[in-house]
């Protein structure tokens, strides 16, 4: 119903930066209105963990391990959420996933509420 597509991952050296993007797409004639948008991550052999979130009014929250290094932002006109990652460390190596809670509206205006998640983008930080 709502396709979340992440991009911007890759290989970077320790201390470097990456900017992740995630676009929420719907079929023609439908619309999507996101409330909270989030990024989480999963490293090999570890559980998935929350990284950052942003509400529709722009309020943000961050995991302690990324505070001061990562910045989440959104562009509702583009149905896009971003994660600017600076001062990357090898411990940040993981697959990063975006999610959005919100309403998708069918062509006739019927709303469907849901939580939609992307397939992830790999971030690898070398030491």
């Amino acid at each position: 119903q709502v396709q979340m597509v992440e991009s911007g991952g890759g290989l970077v050296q320790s201390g470097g930066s990456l900017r992740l993007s995630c676009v929420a797409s719907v079929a023609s004639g439908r619309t999507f209105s996101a409330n909270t948008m989030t990024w989480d991550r999963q490293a090999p052999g570890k559980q998935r963990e929350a990284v950052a979130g942003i509400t529709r009014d722009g309020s943000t929250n961050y995991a302690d391990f990324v505070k001061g290094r990562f910045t989440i932002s959104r562009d509702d006109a583009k149905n896009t959420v971003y994660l600017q990652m600076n001062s990357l460390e090898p411990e940040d190596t993981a697959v990063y996933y975006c999610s959005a809670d919100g309403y998708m509206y069918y062509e006739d205006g019927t709303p469907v509420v849901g939580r939609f998640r992307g397939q992830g983008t790999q971030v690898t930080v070398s030491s």
Side-chain angles (χ1 to χ4, degrees):
Q1 293 177 328
V2 178
Q3 186 176 14
M4 308 288 292
V5 179
E6 301 98 336
S7 62
L11 174 64
V12 64
Q13 289 188 333
S14 181
S17 298
L18 285 174
R19 188 192 194 209
L20 305 183
S21 300
C22 176
V23 181
S25 299
V26 293
S28 178
R30 302 178 181 179
T31 59
F32 178 62
S33 178
N35 294 324
T36 300
M37 305 182 84
T38 60
W39 287 95
D40 52 19
R41 70 186 188 185
Q42 187 165 22
K46 296 186 178 181
Q47 290 189 331
R48 188 170 294 192
E49 58 188 359
V51 175
I54 184 168
T55 63
R56 192 166 183 82
D57 66 2
S59 297
T60 59
N61 63 83
Y62 297 93
D64 287 343
F65 53 78
V66 303
K67 283 182 180 177
R69 301 188 298 125
F70 292 9
T71 302
I72 189 171
S73 60
R74 61 191 285 170
D75 184 339
D76 288 334
K78 297 180 179 179
N79 270 343
T80 301
V81 61
Y82 304 97
L83 186 68
Q84 177 66 44
M85 305 186 295
N86 299 328
S87 302
L88 283 161
E89 304 165 350
E91 293 74 22
D92 296 315
T93 295
V95 178
Y96 284 71
Y97 300 89
C98 69
S99 297
D101 297 314
Y103 290 86
M104 189 203 74
Y105 296 89
Y106 285 99
E107 293 84 344
D108 64 359
T110 301
V112 173
V113 64
R115 180 176 178 83
F116 308 97
R117 173 168 286 168
Q119 294 299 307
T121 185
Q122 176 70 47
V123 171
T124 303
V125 185
S126 64
S127 56

